[in-house]
Amino acid sequence: GDGAGAVVLQPAAKEGQGILSTHLHSDGESAEILAMYNPGTHANHWTENKLADFDEAAIGEMFMSKNMIDHAQNFPYMDGPSVFKKAVVKFPEVIMEALKTNGLTPADLNMLIPHQANLRIAQFVQQKLI
């Protein structure tokens, strides 16, 4: 699962305060390294390894079957090392994109609060920005 957070926003009166820009990216190239294959996807078509027990019919038992439950195939899948490698490249890239868009550098940051529960990733990104 994921954590939850909240923030209270209000209009900023001074130039250079408030939300300066937003940067949202999506890259499905490596979607299978962190995915919920079952229920709901036809996982055997996206990876070399068979990840679910269902027939090859158009729909089949792809949503949930007793066999999937019996073989614990209804849990999220994560290839940790691959997720780490992707995160430590993409995370600093988008931070630098946001800084550049706003005419800033990492030296201008007083604090960065990432939505990242993995301490190793956060520490790696911190070192890349120094």
Side-chain angles (χ1 to χ4, degrees), residues 56-85:
E56 291 297 322
I59 300 292
E61 292 181 310
M62 68 191 238
F63 294 106
M64 186 59 69
S65 69
K66 183 176 182 329
N67 204 37
M68 287 179 193
I69 295 168
D70 290 345
H71 292 98
Q73 296 174 344
N74 55 327
F75 296 102
Y77 169 79
M78 181 173 74
D79 176 350
S82 294
V83 170
F84 181 89
K85 289 175 187 172

Side-chain angles (χ1 to χ4, degrees), residues 76-98:
Y77 169 79
M78 181 173 74
D79 176 350
S82 294
V83 170
F84 181 89
K85 289 175 187 172
K86 180 73 81 172
V88 299
V89 170
K90 295 298 185 179
F91 194 13
E93 281 179 4
V94 76
I95 292 169
M96 293 305 295
E97 176 185 337

Side-chain angles (χ1 to χ4, degrees), residues 82-127:
S82 294
V83 170
F84 181 89
K85 289 175 187 172
K86 180 73 81 172
V88 299
V89 170
K90 295 298 185 179
F91 194 13
E93 281 179 4
V94 76
I95 292 169
M96 293 305 295
E97 176 185 337
L99 290 170
K100 182 178 178 183
T101 299
N102 293 284
L104 302 170
T105 69
D108 295 312
L109 295 175
N110 293 324
M111 182 184 302
L112 177 67
I113 304 173
H115 173 56
Q116 178 49 253
N118 185 304
L119 180 61
R120 285 183 53 230
I121 292 172
Q123 289 172 331
F124 193 94
V125 170
Q126 178 185 22
Q127 290 302 312

Side-chain angles (χ1 to χ4, degrees), residues 48-63:
E48 295 178 16
N49 300 323
K50 184 176 179 184
L51 299 168
D53 292 320
F54 47 75
D55 60 41
E56 291 297 322
I59 300 292
E61 292 181 310
M62 68 191 238
F63 294 106

